[in-house]
Amino acid sequence: ADQWGCLNNLVNGESGILNIHPPSEVPTWEPSKRLLMWPNGTTAGVFSGANPGEFRGPQFHWAWVDELAKFKGNALTVG
């Protein structure tokens, strides 16, 4: 998905992150940073498969990837 697909589906969609949490646990969305922040301090960055090079640099333990097969040129190796 492109950046807007990520936003519309994974973040704001009917089953997106902002709509599945109980009210006391809904994260804050910071669009300029493409960052979700939960009340307990957990953060999640939102990256698009349209530009897989964005995965280089940021430090994170997990990635939730929408439509991995659509990444161009086998840009992401899972293992």
Side-chain angles (χ1 to χ4, degrees):
D2 63 14
Q3 178 180 348
W4 302 115
C6 287
L7 179 62
N8 292 332
N9 296 316
L10 301 177
V11 177
N12 290 319
E14 184 177 337
S15 59
I17 290 174
L18 295 179
N19 291 312
I20 62 169
H21 288 286
S24 64
E25 297 176 10
V26 174
T28 301
W29 169 240
E30 295 186 33
S32 64
K33 297 178 183 178
R34 295 183 303 178
L35 186 71
L36 289 156
M37 293 187 66
W38 278 262
N40 68 1
T42 299
T43 62
V46 176
F47 300 92
S48 165
N51 187 4
E54 293 179 329
F55 281 98
R56 296 186 66 208
Q59 301 291 317
F60 51 86
H61 293 107
W62 302 97
W64 174 22
V65 180
D66 183 43
E67 299 183 12
L68 178 61
K70 286 189 134 184
F71 274 45
K72 295 180 182 180
N74 299 320
L76 184 65
T77 301
V78 178

